[in-house]
Amino acid sequence: MSGSIKELSVHYDPINESNTFTSGDIVEGQVVLEVTKEIKVDSCFVTLTGDADVRWTEGSDDTSMTYRDHESYFKLKQYFIQESSKREQSERNTTLLYGETYGPLIRPGRHVFPFRFQLPQQNMPPSFNGYLGWVKYVLTVKLSRTWKSSAASKELTFVLRNDGTNDHLLQPQSGTQDKKIKLFGSGQMSMTVTTDKTGYMQGETISVFVNIDNSSSRDVKLKYSLKQQQTFIAGEKTKIGYKHMVKETRDLIPSREKSKFKVHLILPHDLTVTIKNCRIIKEQYELKVSLGVSFTSNPAVRFPVVILPPEQQCPPRQGPPVGFQSYPPPQPNLVPYPGELPLPPAGLYNSTVLPHPGAAAGVYPIPNAFQPGFHPAPSAPVYDPNQSIKESSPKVPY
């Protein structure tokens, strides 16, 4: 801060050990204002907003095209100081809340302004920070004076509410694939794959049971992978990136033999949760188990995997499928999950100023380049594991 304002900050009170919030929770806190001399304030207010935003640029120089979309979930606002001429006026797309108000003259010293909001009871996506977009829930205080303004913000971590509707995530998934060998061999192989359930929390272990009957003349290898896919949608344009969190090839199954395996996949604790309830951002995971066969397509079984925050843990099933004798394989080497996005160049934006950094100047911190380890996929429609991906519609300028 500069001039007569020594401090302007916003703080909230945690309501649980994980320091998270969900639909319907109460957010209480204080705005702290410290001034070195008396000042006159035109307005001072605090807002709580929930928004999603995607943005990327394709091409270069004169042929570049920027795509962007935005989704707003709510905007709650409480005034501490408001110009008398604007009192009782409604504001577009804003829910005004009324608390204690104060006079426009602020004397030297430290002042604390309490606020209280309730998050809407609606189905909103969890907090998310991806390579081309984000979902954010932000507290922002703004103080306006003649020819001057100051602001500060703090982000909340929002998670989905465990409302008892996730019972289907406790159900196991099962699939079978058969393949006849016609090239460089003969016979048939079959594979049945079963997972202990569908939904897992961060840091939990996925247990996969695999029965293989290799009645062919070829040796095969067991392969498995867990793929993370992020989809960003701006109008009719779609951008997809993916990353293999786990990708392993192991255990040889010789010709004319049967084998049973139990595979353990430990999920990283900082793995991003699944997002299905956002129009412009999707976060999905796919488990793939296949048999590696040379010179031909590999038979594979694919399952969706739902990643949940710790508060929504699905209890593990007790034991493997009936008649299954487990074979404990070594733990696979997990691919490290990338951490936070790198900071933007100095001066582009200040993350403590606006809930949508750089919005006023049109500058956004989301880079056009992909995060290390992410692979861009061709522009495509919304991901459907049962359909092939096709090129999306022509470019539409923003």
Side-chain angles (χ1 to χ4, degrees), residues 323-342:
F324 189 96
Q325 295 180 354
S326 63
Y327 172 81
Q331 173 60 39
N333 295 321
L334 296 179
V335 179
Y337 183 67
E340 296 294 329
L341 287 172

Side-chain angles (χ1 to χ4, degrees), residues 183-387:
L183 186 65
F184 304 117
S186 61
Q188 178 173 304
M189 60 187 67
S190 65
M191 173 179 61
T192 298
V193 182
T194 303
T195 63
D196 54 339
K197 54 184 179 178
T198 303
Y200 302 85
M201 77 170 186
Q202 300 149 323
E204 199 174 357
T205 299
I206 300 178
S207 295
V208 186
F209 308 94
V210 187
N211 286 341
I212 300 171
D213 183 354
N214 183 13
S215 299
S216 75
S217 60
R218 303 277 299 278
D219 294 343
V220 298
K221 287 186 176 181
L222 176 65
K223 304 172 72 174
Y224 48 88
S225 64
L226 179 66
K227 184 174 73 173
Q228 176 196 55
Q229 178 170 293
Q230 294 181 0
T231 304
F232 302 91
I233 305 166
E236 297 182 351
K237 192 72 174 179
T238 300
K239 200 78 169 178
I240 296 176
Y242 68 90
K243 178 179 177 64
H244 280 102
M245 310 308 297
V246 178
K247 192 174 184 179
E248 292 287 328
T249 299
R250 54 174 304 270
D251 291 288
L252 178 71
I253 301 94
S255 170
R256 313 300 180 186
E257 287 195 10
K258 298 180 180 180
S259 298
K260 295 180 180 181
F261 302 93
K262 182 178 180 181
V263 177
H264 298 280
L265 304 180
I266 299 177
L267 298 171
H269 287 274
D270 58 352
L271 196 62
T272 309
V273 299
T274 297
I275 299 178
K276 294 182 177 180
N277 58 341
C278 180
R279 178 179 59 83
I280 60 177
I281 297 175
K282 308 294 179 185
E283 176 88 325
Q284 297 164 299
Y285 294 87
E286 180 187 79
L287 174 66
K288 177 183 175 181
V289 181
S290 63
L291 296 178
V293 189
S294 301
F295 308 112
T296 186
S297 60
N298 297 334
V301 176
R302 294 177 172 85
F303 299 123
V305 173
V306 178
I307 306 300
L308 302 166
E311 290 78 7
Q312 296 179 260
Q313 180 178 4
C314 291
R317 286 179 57 84
Q318 298 299 317
V322 176
F324 189 96
Q325 295 180 354
S326 63
Y327 172 81
Q331 173 60 39
N333 295 321
L334 296 179
V335 179
Y337 183 67
E340 296 294 329
L341 287 172
L343 292 175
L348 277 187
Y349 87 106
N350 185 338
S351 61
T352 64
V353 173
L354 294 171
H356 315 305
V363 179
Y364 283 75
I366 302 168
N368 293 325
F370 291 89
Q371 280 185 318
F374 251 104
H375 306 281
S379 298
V382 177
Y383 172 72
D384 184 345
N386 299 316
Q387 298 180 4

